[in-house]
């Protein structure tokens, strides 16, 4: 069952601009993760935000979690060309705590 | 030091061929996972394990076997490869299952002709 989905397939911004990737999920969750996958690499976690947190930061990254609307966002400020990547949200499977369900990803292109 | 390694990085085989993908983690994690990644589908779980000798079926297991020989080593076996198994395969490890970070390997690109 697909629990988490990003809301955009692709986004383009110019270097220096800010961008937000959104994610919606379908059931109550205990935590939500954001991952980034650069071309030719495996995904790498950016932020893990738990259900009792509303916001979490990691450098230029800021994740929010709204449990009432079952949505999350990942904002990147002062984007750089090296932020070009696919961004995934991921949640624990609601029927199996050992599993993580990944969204299909948002392709972000940061243009010079 | 890379904590999750995969081999080979690229593999080409023919239909009906026998392929083994290897994964090793040095994170001392109990949980290990095999995913395939295809355009339009994202990451899909094939098999996973929560310890040596343990194997659990994932969401797309058909045509795949897996074996966890030690805490560090997890193998994915395709005994009769088909073109539909052409994909990018990732191994991952995790300390505590679905609520914690998964550490991914660099991936293996498999082509079945």
């Amino acid at each position: 069952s697909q629990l988490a989905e990003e809301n955009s397939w692709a986004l383009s911004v110019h270097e220096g601009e800010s961008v937000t990737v959104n994610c919606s999920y379908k059931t109550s969750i205990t935590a939500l993760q954001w991952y980034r996958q650069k071309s030719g690499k495996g995904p790498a976690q950016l932020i893990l935000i738990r259900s009792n947190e509303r916001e979490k930061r990691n450098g230029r990254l800021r994740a929010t979690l709204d449990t009432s609307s079952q949505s999350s966002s990942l904002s990147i400020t002062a984007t750089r060309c090296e932020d070009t990547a696919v961004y995934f949200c991921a949640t624990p499977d609601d029927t199996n705590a050992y599993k993580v369900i990944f969204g299909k990803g948002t392709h972000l292109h940061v243009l010079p | 030091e890379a904590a999750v390694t995969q081999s080979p990085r690229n593999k080409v085989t023919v239909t009906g061929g026998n392929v083994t993908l290897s994964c090793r983690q040095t994170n001392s994690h109990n949980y290990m996972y095999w995913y395939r990644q295809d355009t339009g589908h994202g990451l899909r779980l094939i098999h996973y394990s929560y310890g040596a000798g343990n194997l659990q079926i994932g969401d797309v297991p058909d045509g795949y076997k897996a074996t966890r020989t030690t805490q560090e080593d997890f193998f994915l076996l395709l005994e009769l490869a088909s073109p539909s198994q052409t994909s990018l395969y990732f191994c991952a490890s995790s300390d505590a299952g679905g609520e914690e970070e998964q550490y991914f390997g660099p991936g293996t690109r498999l082509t079945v002709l």
Side-chain angles (χ1 to χ4, degrees), chain A residues 43-61:
Chain A
Q45 190 202 64
L46 299 173
I47 293 178
L48 184 152
I49 185 165
R50 299 199 183 275
S51 58
N52 62 351
E53 299 175 306
R54 290 295 170 261
E55 176 181 304
K56 202 157 188 181
R57 294 178 183 265
N58 179 5
R60 295 181 294 111
L61 307 176

Side-chain angles (χ1 to χ4, degrees), chain A residues 9 30-31 33 35 37 40-43 45 48 50 88 92 96-102 104, chain B residues 9 31 33 35 37 40-43 45 48 50 59 90 97-102 104-106:
Chain A
W9 172 248
T30 53
Q33 302 182 59
Y35 285 80
Q37 184 178 18
K41 307 285 187 184
Q45 190 202 64
L48 184 152
R50 299 199 183 275
F88 300 93
N96 186 333
Y98 297 117
K99 293 167 58 178
V100 172
I101 304 297
F102 290 85
K104 294 180 181 177
Chain B
R9 295 294 313 278
Y31 301 92
Y33 304 81
Y35 294 93
Q37 186 176 42
H41 292 281
L43 286 160
L45 182 64
Y48 63 105
Y50 48 83
D59 299 318
F90 286 102
E99 291 188 6
E100 297 297 332
E101 179 175 2
Q102 297 209 345
F104 284 82

